[in-house]
Amino acid sequence: MNKIKYLFSICFVAVFVFCMSVGVKAEETEIDTSVFEYEENEDGTINVTRCNENEETVIIPSEIDGKKVKNIKLNRDNSRSGSFCKIKNLIISEGIINIMQYSFGRCNNLETVSLPSTIQTIGKDAFGDCKKLKSINLPEGLTSIGESAFDDCYSLENIILPNSLISLGEFAFRSCDSLSKVIVPGNLKVIEKLTFYSCDKLQEVEIKEGVTKIGNSVFTYCINLQKIIIPNSVSDIHDCAFGFGIGGKEGFPSELIIYADPNSYARTYANKNGIIFSCLNTHDWDNGVITGNASKTNKSYTCIYTCSACGIKNSKIFNSADLPKKGKVISTSDSKEYYKIVKSGIKNGTVEFVKMKNLKNDITVPDTVTVDGITYKIISISKNAFKNNNNLKKITIGSNITKIGVGAFKGCKNLKTITIKSKNLKSVGKNAFKGINPKAKIKVPSSCLEKYKKLLAKKGQKSSVKITK
């Protein structure tokens, strides 16, 4: 009889392995449910509390004694040794929702885990210290992974965190030494402290848009971490997110590069903490520098642009025949300021200030502007350039301005300080200052005070507006 049982067991395992290889689902395999113990919930579902841990392959069924299995709640706790557990391959059937705390912690021989699409939570230390665990699928629909759920799973080579994940506990993947890449989904708003602590083979991390915070020592002792992509949504990174101690440099990955957009908090963090920064999707280009002037024999010139965020350079060749002609509107590289060409040319070109995209309360019209490597003098302010800008409180007008157009500051009711640095102002248009603050002061060079009092008189401003040096 024992011999027959032995042969039957061998055949069963062989059939099971074959079925698995052709993709037969766990619930389609006949399972001896008598080896399981369970407790019943108020809703009539049950929690599996004990299984046969002497088998290499264990399938937890979706139903026992006609009752649906809802949770796995094995009576294993943090102090119980896992050396007796022989399970290598664990298959959890469709319909099961939760794996509760400590259920498979310290199962020293566990190598693979197959989870159903119905799993929603993996509890605290559910697979902690499973040192031989190599692979586990984390399906869409999983919303929570508890504290230390995979702590010290040294052999875990790959994980794909589902987009449905909204909670990831502290220490969740600590000391998972075989992980090389992790993608953190955007629905996970906070990466809690020590989540990936001491994953010493981790090389690349991509954090998706939606995450807002990276906690304390999340990547400390990830000594081979080389690349981390951080989205604009991240606005809080702990000083010791990548190390600890003075300056957060103990346990710090020495070759780390943060990839992010130039205007992101991640750039500020990288600069503050001496971490190499590289632009991700866009660059913060300057307005360029010409490396060679066009001549009679050479009709083109090269402009070199430099990103102020990461220092990378980019070049562009221009044909001198294609220089912007008189009347063409050009803009700075960030498209925040617009100018009209008055005189074209690589040298001695002039422009008129047209408008500014960002309506700030303190604005300076500079002496010059550089666009595509060509530096132009700014000699005038166009008609209605700042009309009805209610944000504007203070403006400084550069030293090359010779003309202020009609209605240039009309309706700027909060404009109280106007500083004119130019000594060559010759023309001020009608109603240029109409509607500015009645207590405003127009400051001019002392040598031009009397001349400018006449030039600026009756340009729409109240009589209470003072012109002073």
Side-chain angles (χ1 to χ4, degrees):
M1 183 61 69
N2 289 337
K3 185 175 182 181
I4 292 173
K5 286 184 177 180
Y6 175 78
L7 291 173
F8 176 80
S9 298
I10 293 295
C11 291
F12 175 80
V13 171
V15 169
F16 171 74
V17 171
F18 172 78
C19 289
M20 289 301 293
S21 69
V22 296
V24 176
K25 294 181 180 179
E27 56 267 34
E28 295 174 352
T29 303
E30 187 176 348
I31 304 169
D32 180 8
T33 59
S34 65
V35 299
F36 297 97
E37 296 179 6
Y38 61 85
E39 63 183 20
E40 192 164 346
N41 300 311
E42 291 182 359
D43 60 2
T45 61
I46 60 173
N47 305 328
V48 172
T49 57
R50 189 173 180 83
C51 67
N52 185 0
E53 298 184 11
N54 291 317
E55 297 291 339
E56 288 191 356
T57 299
V58 169
I59 303 174
I60 305 220
S62 57
E63 188 175 293
I64 300 174
D65 296 338
K67 300 177 176 67
K68 290 184 178 180
V69 178
K70 182 178 183 180
N71 307 311
I72 298 173
K73 185 182 177 183
L74 300 190
N75 292 325
R76 310 182 79 250
D77 59 35
N78 201 29
S79 62
R80 188 175 179 186
S81 171
S83 59
F84 64 90
C85 182
K86 307 301 181 185
I87 302 173
K88 285 187 177 181
N89 307 298
L90 174 66
I91 302 167
I92 297 175
S93 299
E94 286 291 327
I96 297 175
I97 296 175
N98 305 308
I99 302 172
M100 303 181 80
Q101 64 181 11
Y102 307 127
S103 286
F104 298 98
R106 282 147 296 284
C107 283
N108 292 348
N109 294 295
L110 186 61
E111 294 181 3
T112 67
V113 176
S114 176
L115 299 180
S117 62
T118 51
I119 282 291
Q120 295 178 9
T121 64
I122 297 175
K124 176 181 178 180
D125 207 33
F127 294 96
D129 208 24
C130 293
K131 293 180 170 56
K132 293 184 179 180
L133 180 61
K134 291 182 179 179
S135 66
I136 182 170
N137 63 305
L138 302 175
E140 286 296 333
L142 177 67
T143 60
S144 176
I145 297 176
E147 178 183 331
S148 303
F150 297 94
D151 189 8
D152 285 336
C153 290
Y154 301 149
S155 303
L156 190 61
E157 296 175 350
N158 181 46
I159 55 166
I160 299 176
L161 298 175
N163 292 324
S164 55
L165 191 67
I166 59 175
S167 177
L168 184 61
E170 299 172 4
F171 309 95
F173 292 95
R174 180 177 62 174
S175 298
C176 289
D177 292 346
S178 296
L179 287 180
S180 60
K181 181 178 179 178
V182 171
I183 298 176
V184 180
N187 285 321
L188 185 70
K189 301 304 180 185
V190 178
I191 307 177
E192 300 289 356
K193 67 180 181 181
L194 297 154
T195 302
F196 298 100
Y197 181 93
S198 194
C199 292
D200 59 14
K201 289 186 180 178
L202 186 61
Q203 295 182 344
E204 184 176 345
V205 174
E206 180 179 354
I207 300 173
K208 294 293 188 178
E209 186 72 25
V211 176
T212 61
K213 180 179 179 179
I214 303 174
N216 186 8
S217 296
V218 169
F219 300 105
T220 297
Y221 281 116
C222 295
I223 55 176
N224 289 299
L225 184 59
Q226 299 173 12
K227 178 180 181 180
I228 181 166
I229 297 173
I230 301 178
N232 292 334
S233 58
V234 171
S235 58
D236 185 357
I237 305 175
H238 195 279
D239 286 344
C240 296
F242 300 95
F244 65 93
I246 298 175
K249 290 301 181 182
E250 187 174 346
F252 182 84
S254 59
E255 298 183 10
L256 176 64
I257 300 175
I258 288 178
Y259 291 79
D261 288 342
N263 295 319
S264 64
Y265 173 76
R267 177 189 173 189
T268 302
Y269 178 86
N271 292 340
K272 175 185 174 183
N273 291 278
I275 301 173
I276 298 172
F277 178 85
S278 183
C279 290
L280 183 61
N281 298 312
T282 60
H283 289 279
D284 190 8
W285 298 115
D286 64 9
N287 291 305
V289 175
I290 295 176
T291 60
N293 292 336
S295 64
K296 291 182 179 180
T297 56
N298 182 14
K299 300 297 183 181
S300 64
Y301 68 95
T302 301
C303 183
I304 303 295
Y305 303 90
T306 303
C307 176
S308 62
C310 65
I312 193 172
K313 296 183 183 297
N314 187 29
S315 63
K316 186 176 181 180
I317 298 175
F318 292 89
N319 192 312
S320 58
D322 296 329
L323 287 174
K325 301 296 189 294
K326 180 179 179 179
K328 180 178 176 61
V329 175
I330 60 176
S331 68
T332 54
S333 62
D334 56 10
S335 298
K336 291 181 179 179
E337 299 171 18
Y338 292 82
Y339 299 87
K340 183 190 291 185
I341 299 292
V342 177
K343 179 183 176 183
S344 182
I346 294 177
K347 294 182 177 180
N348 303 317
T350 59
V351 294
E352 178 178 79
F353 180 93
V354 176
K355 65 178 181 178
M356 180 173 286
K357 189 174 181 180
N358 292 343
L359 302 180
K360 300 182 291 186
N361 58 25
D362 186 351
I363 292 174
T364 297
V365 178
D367 297 343
T368 62
V369 64
T370 300
V371 177
D372 293 330
I374 300 174
T375 299
Y376 302 89
K377 284 185 178 181
I378 304 172
I379 62 169
S380 61
I381 297 173
S382 74
K383 176 182 177 180
N384 299 326
F386 296 96
K387 184 178 178 180
N388 295 328
N389 183 349
N390 292 330
N391 293 319
L392 186 59
K393 295 180 179 179
K394 179 180 179 181
I395 186 144
T396 301
I397 297 172
S399 61
N400 292 322
I401 297 295
T402 61
K403 176 184 176 182
I404 297 175
V406 172
F409 300 98
K410 185 178 180 180
C412 296
K413 62 182 181 180
N414 294 310
L415 180 57
K416 295 183 71 174
T417 304
I418 301 168
T419 302
I420 300 174
K421 291 188 174 182
S422 174
K423 296 180 181 180
N424 300 304
L425 187 61
K426 298 176 182 178
S427 172
V428 179
K430 182 180 179 181
N431 292 327
F433 301 106
K434 184 176 182 179
I436 67 171
N437 193 287
K439 295 182 179 180
K441 289 183 179 180
I442 302 175
K443 300 178 181 180
V444 302
S446 57
S447 61
C448 303
L449 180 59
E450 296 305 318
K451 174 184 174 182
Y452 282 6
K453 278 184 177 181
K454 295 178 182 179
L455 182 63
L456 298 171
K458 298 180 180 179
K459 300 303 178 183
Q461 69 271 31
K462 297 283 187 181
S463 58
S464 56
V465 173
K466 294 182 178 180
I467 300 172
T468 182
K469 61 183 178 180

